[in-house]
């Protein structure tokens, strides 16, 4: 797993802040400075947490608020650990393998670069929309558990009422045989997962552990793991075998004749086991843990069938077409599903790559200078909110009844509150007396009183309302003749809009240049640092 993602997740987990892996993954991998401490810090700020990157001496470790993220250097590679505890004689932290480690201070200080990211949890700290995401996840889990219970219940009742349940030894053999089928089917699922996501950290941690001779990549990625010129993988063949045989056993209600036919298939698989062992041991000289489990399952099936004598029962020839259909069904399904999964994975990679480029302030500035430039001064027009720390001057030309303008409003307001931008809002009203002019006059009259907090609240009340009712708004912000004084201001904004050929709303200008069409207002949250 990406070390930045891993350390961020572990920090949030330690702070008991709910999160989703997808949100963190998208945020960090699309950050223009990934991998870096800044990518982690900016992601944590989306959780409404305070962050502070510092470089300190070792004697100040005891004063740091914990948990925090520390930068270490391991094999000349910078990594991030989550420091959990600082004691007199030892340190406790999560390392780059996501394991909780206790080491001496001396050992830790040899790795530590002195850089720390201090964090502060607030009552508002949470992932945006986390409640809805968790509800969706709970519904999915409930449906999955319900379906699993119903299928298992049906299988158990079918098994208990079947003919294999007539004697004790037969029951034991049948249960053991089916358990092996379930294990084989589960491993088959992991093999298919490996087919489309072999670099997944969960799979890699399983596949590469156990010695130098253990390497699933070498075995499953070799030409010997493919048939018909690479068109059919042994992974899919394995899954299809267990799916088809287990499915037939359920459909035929665990009959002895079905068990006999499946037992013969188990005997037929013995040469496949021997060939697989030969290629891993002699040709490739590497072993695959998944393959070893599959081989063990097949040998276990053969042993059960042999000792139970199930192969002596007559074969149910009428079940052969159904068995072939169940065997071929996963092959057809996987051929249809695999391209969709691979396309989704590739799309996510491209989306994150594009977002990483778009989130780079240098890219935005390069595109801005090629955009349309404001030719007419905006001084004294509309409503302005400024910050001493702002690096960007944003002009928003909007319509009080425009839906996209309403969606853009909270995004720009958050940037103002974060001190990243100065915001100037102009309106396209033609007259103080028309439909658009009335609320605009009211905005200007509220702003004329000089309290920017009230002005921002009034704009929030208008743009964030589900129904924009001017009469309701006017009663909340009563005026005594101030509205009649706003006509000249509206006329000045109309003249400016005509001079600049404003054709749509919202039209956004940043530092005097129109926002490029490749960017949306929502993108500004990420790119304006």
């Amino acid at each position: 797993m990406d070390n930045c993602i891993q350390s961020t997740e572990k920090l949030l987990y330690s702070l008991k802040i709910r999160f989703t892996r997808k949100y963190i993954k998208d945020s960090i991998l699309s950050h223009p400075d990934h991998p870096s401490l800044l990518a982690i810090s900016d992601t944590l700020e989306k959780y409404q947490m305070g962050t502070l990157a510092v470089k300190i001496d070792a004697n100040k470790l005891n004063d740091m608020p914990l948990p925090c993220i520390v930068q270490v250097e391991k094999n000349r590679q910078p990594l991030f650990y989550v420091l959990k505890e600082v004691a007199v004689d030892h340190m406790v932290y999560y390392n780059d393998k996501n394991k909780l480690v206790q080491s001496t201070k001396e050992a830790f200080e040899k790795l530590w670069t002195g850089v720390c990211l201090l964090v502060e949890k607030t009552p508002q700290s949470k992932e945006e929309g986390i409640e809805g995401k968790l509800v969706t996840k709970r519904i999915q889990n409930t449906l999955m558990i319900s379906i699993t219970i119903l299928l298992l219940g049906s299988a158990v009742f079918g098994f208990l009422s079947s003919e294999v349940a007539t004697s004790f030894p037969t029951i034991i053999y049948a249960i053991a045989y089916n358990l092996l089928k379930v294990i084989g089917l589960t491993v088959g699922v992991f093999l298919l997962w490996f087919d489309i996501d072999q670099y997944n950290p969960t799979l890699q941690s399983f596949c590469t552990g156990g010695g130098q001779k253990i390497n699933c990549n070498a075995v499953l990625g070799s030409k010997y793991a493919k048939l018909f010129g690479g068109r059919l993988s042994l992974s899919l063949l394995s899954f299809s075998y267990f799916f088809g045989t287990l499915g037939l056993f359920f459909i035929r209600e665990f009959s002895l004749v079905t068990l006999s036919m499946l037992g013969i298939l188990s005997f037929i698989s013995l040469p496949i086991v021997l060939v697989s062992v030969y290629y891993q041991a002699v040709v490739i000289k590497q072993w695959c843990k998944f393959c070893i489990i599959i081989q063990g399952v097949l040998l276990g099936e053969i042993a059960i069938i042999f000792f139970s004598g199930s192969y002596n029962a007559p074969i149910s020839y009428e079940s052969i077409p159904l068995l072939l259909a169940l065997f071929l069904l996963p092959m057809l399904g996987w051929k249809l599903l695999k391209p969709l999964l691979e396309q989704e994975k590739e799309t996510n990679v491209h989306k994150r790559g594009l977002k990483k480029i778009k989130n780079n302030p240098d890219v935005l500035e390069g595109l801005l200078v090629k955009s349309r430039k404001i030719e007419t001064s905006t001084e004294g027009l509309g409503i302005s909110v400024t910050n001493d720390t702002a690096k960007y001057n944003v002009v928003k030309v909007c319509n009080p009844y425009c839906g996209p303008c309403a969606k853009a409003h909270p995004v720009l307001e958050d940037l103002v509150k974060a001190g990243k931008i100065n915001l100037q809002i102009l309106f396209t009203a033609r007259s103080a007396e028309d439909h658009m002019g009335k609320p605009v006059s009211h905005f200007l009259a509220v702003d004329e009183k000089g309290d920017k907090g009230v002005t921002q609240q009034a704009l929030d009340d208008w743009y964030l309302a589900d129904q924009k009712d001017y009469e309701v708004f006017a009663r909340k912000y009563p005026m005594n003749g101030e509205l009649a004084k706003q006509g000249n201001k509206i006329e000045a904004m109309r003249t400016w809009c005509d001079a600049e050929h404003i054709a749509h709303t919202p039209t956004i200008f940043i530092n005097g240049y129109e926002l490029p069409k490749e960017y949306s207002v929502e993108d500004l949250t990420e790119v304006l640092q």
Side-chain angles (χ1 to χ4, degrees):
M1 185 184 296
D2 182 275
N3 178 241
C4 292
I5 297 173
Q6 183 187 70
S7 55
T8 303
E9 288 182 353
K10 188 55 67 176
L11 179 72
L12 292 173
Y13 177 79
S14 300
L15 291 169
K16 297 186 169 99
I17 297 176
R18 296 179 298 178
F19 64 88
T20 58
R21 175 165 294 178
K22 184 179 184 304
Y23 184 87
I24 293 175
K25 193 173 182 180
D26 287 341
S27 177
I28 289 180
L29 294 184
S30 62
H31 195 281
D33 292 313
H34 170 265
S36 69
L37 197 63
L38 180 60
I40 297 175
S41 175
D42 286 348
T43 298
L44 292 175
E45 286 181 1
K46 293 179 183 178
Y47 283 79
Q48 301 185 56
M49 297 174 61
T51 63
L52 177 65
V54 296
K55 188 168 186 178
I56 61 175
D57 297 327
N59 55 12
K60 294 183 179 179
L61 279 172
N62 294 325
D63 300 327
M64 292 195 306
L66 299 177
C68 69
I69 290 179
V70 293
Q71 185 189 58
V72 301
E73 191 169 292
K74 188 177 179 182
N75 299 325
R76 297 184 178 181
Q77 180 184 3
L79 294 170
F80 301 109
Y81 289 176
V82 176
L83 185 59
K84 189 174 178 65
E85 180 184 340
V86 177
V88 176
D89 57 347
H90 68 271
M91 314 285 286
V92 178
Y93 55 85
Y94 290 99
N95 65 7
D96 55 308
K97 302 297 184 183
N98 215 21
K99 294 181 179 178
L100 191 62
V101 176
Q102 179 174 313
S103 73
T104 63
K105 279 191 173 183
E106 291 75 15
F108 173 79
E109 289 170 11
K110 289 180 180 178
L111 296 173
W112 182 43
T113 64
V115 174
C116 306
L117 180 65
L118 308 182
V119 297
E120 181 182 11
K121 178 182 176 181
T122 67
Q124 294 77 34
S125 294
K126 65 177 182 177
E127 183 176 306
E128 183 181 1
I130 187 65
E131 290 83 4
K133 297 174 186 177
L134 292 178
V135 169
T136 301
K137 188 175 181 180
R138 280 195 289 268
I139 292 173
Q140 292 174 345
N141 291 339
T142 302
L143 290 174
M144 188 177 299
I145 293 172
S146 300
I147 292 172
T148 302
I149 292 174
L150 290 172
L151 290 176
L152 287 176
S154 175
V156 170
F157 286 123
F159 179 81
L160 294 176
S161 60
S162 67
E163 57 184 329
V164 299
T166 55
S167 66
F168 180 74
T170 308
I171 291 177
I172 298 302
Y173 285 129
I175 290 175
Y177 189 75
N178 279 284
L179 284 176
L180 288 175
K181 290 289 185 187
V182 172
I183 293 172
L185 185 64
T186 303
V187 176
V189 171
F190 280 100
L191 285 170
L192 293 181
W193 184 13
F194 191 93
D195 254 4
I196 60 172
D197 194 13
Q198 63 177 316
Y199 298 110
N200 182 279
T202 303
L203 295 176
Q204 286 299 314
S205 64
F206 175 80
C207 291
T208 57
Q212 295 181 348
K213 291 291 185 179
I214 302 296
N215 191 338
C216 296
N217 298 329
V219 177
L220 298 176
S222 70
K223 62 180 180 180
Y224 306 108
K226 304 288 191 299
L227 301 175
F228 306 114
R231 292 179 177 85
L232 178 63
S233 69
L234 293 182
S235 300
L236 179 56
L237 199 63
S238 174
F239 177 83
S240 299
Y241 168 78
F242 289 109
F243 179 87
T245 53
L246 186 61
L248 180 68
F249 209 24
F250 284 168
I251 293 172
R252 292 304 187 196
E253 298 179 339
F254 307 97
S255 65
L256 288 173
V257 291
T258 302
L259 182 61
S260 175
M261 184 172 64
L262 297 182
I264 293 174
L265 280 178
S266 296
F267 280 125
I268 294 173
S269 70
L270 181 58
I272 298 175
V273 174
L274 297 177
V275 170
S276 177
V277 171
Y278 169 78
Y279 274 105
Q280 291 182 80
V282 179
V283 179
I284 305 174
K285 297 180 180 179
Q286 297 282 335
W287 293 89
C288 168
K289 284 186 178 181
F290 291 124
C291 303
I292 293 172
I293 296 174
I294 293 293
Q295 292 157 10
V297 168
L298 292 175
L299 290 175
E301 288 183 4
I302 294 171
I304 290 173
I305 294 299
F306 178 78
F307 289 111
S308 67
S310 303
Y311 58 88
N312 291 322
I315 296 176
S316 175
Y317 291 102
E318 64 272 15
S319 297
I320 293 178
L322 177 58
L323 175 61
L324 291 174
L326 291 173
F327 185 75
L328 294 174
L329 182 63
M331 295 186 181
L332 175 61
W334 187 243
K335 290 299 179 184
L336 297 174
L337 183 62
K338 183 180 179 181
L340 298 178
L341 295 174
E342 290 178 332
Q343 184 178 9
E344 182 184 10
K345 180 182 176 183
E346 186 176 353
T347 300
N348 286 334
V349 171
H350 288 312
K351 283 173 63 178
R352 288 171 185 146
L354 176 61
K355 196 173 180 182
K356 190 170 185 176
I357 294 172
K358 289 177 68 176
N359 289 350
N360 190 327
D362 294 334
V363 174
L364 174 62
E365 290 175 10
L367 292 175
L368 279 174
V369 296
K370 296 180 181 179
S371 298
R372 176 164 64 114
K373 184 179 180 181
I374 293 178
E375 301 294 339
T376 310
S377 173
T378 62
E379 186 176 356
L381 300 179
I383 296 172
S384 296
V385 183
T386 60
N387 286 291
D388 295 334
T389 58
K391 294 169 55 179
Y392 302 91
N393 297 311
V394 176
V395 175
K396 173 191 175 188
V397 185
C398 60
N399 175 334
Y401 292 98
C402 164
C405 296
K407 291 181 179 179
H409 173 77
V411 177
L412 296 176
E413 278 292 299
D414 287 343
L415 290 171
V416 169
K417 292 175 183 177
K420 295 181 178 180
I421 67 170
N422 297 319
L423 179 62
Q424 184 175 10
I425 306 174
L426 308 184
F427 299 92
T428 57
R430 310 298 295 179
S431 165
E433 303 300 325
D434 64 14
H435 179 60
M436 287 194 296
K438 290 182 179 180
V440 172
S441 295
H442 222 107
F443 300 155
L444 296 173
V446 171
D447 184 61
E448 195 174 65
K449 294 187 175 182
D451 191 330
K452 293 298 180 182
V454 175
T455 300
Q456 288 177 285
Q457 184 59 53
L459 292 171
D460 288 345
D461 290 340
W462 177 264
Y463 278 113
L464 300 183
D466 294 331
Q467 296 292 332
K468 293 175 176 49
D469 189 325
Y470 175 68
E471 300 301 328
V472 173
F473 179 80
R475 285 195 296 270
K476 187 171 183 179
Y477 295 93
M479 294 292 160
N480 295 314
E482 293 91 340
L483 299 179
K485 302 176 183 178
Q486 310 307 320
N488 291 336
K489 296 179 182 179
I490 293 178
E491 175 66 22
M493 287 190 290
R494 183 189 65 79
T495 302
W496 185 91
C497 291
D498 291 342
E500 293 296 329
H501 306 288
I502 301 299
H504 62 87
T505 56
T507 300
I508 307 294
F509 295 90
I510 300 178
N511 290 345
Y513 293 91
E514 187 173 1
L515 183 68
K517 61 182 180 181
E518 292 82 6
Y519 286 82
S520 66
V521 176
E522 288 76 13
D523 292 330
L524 299 181
T525 301
E526 303 286 347
V527 71
L528 299 184
Q529 301 295 334

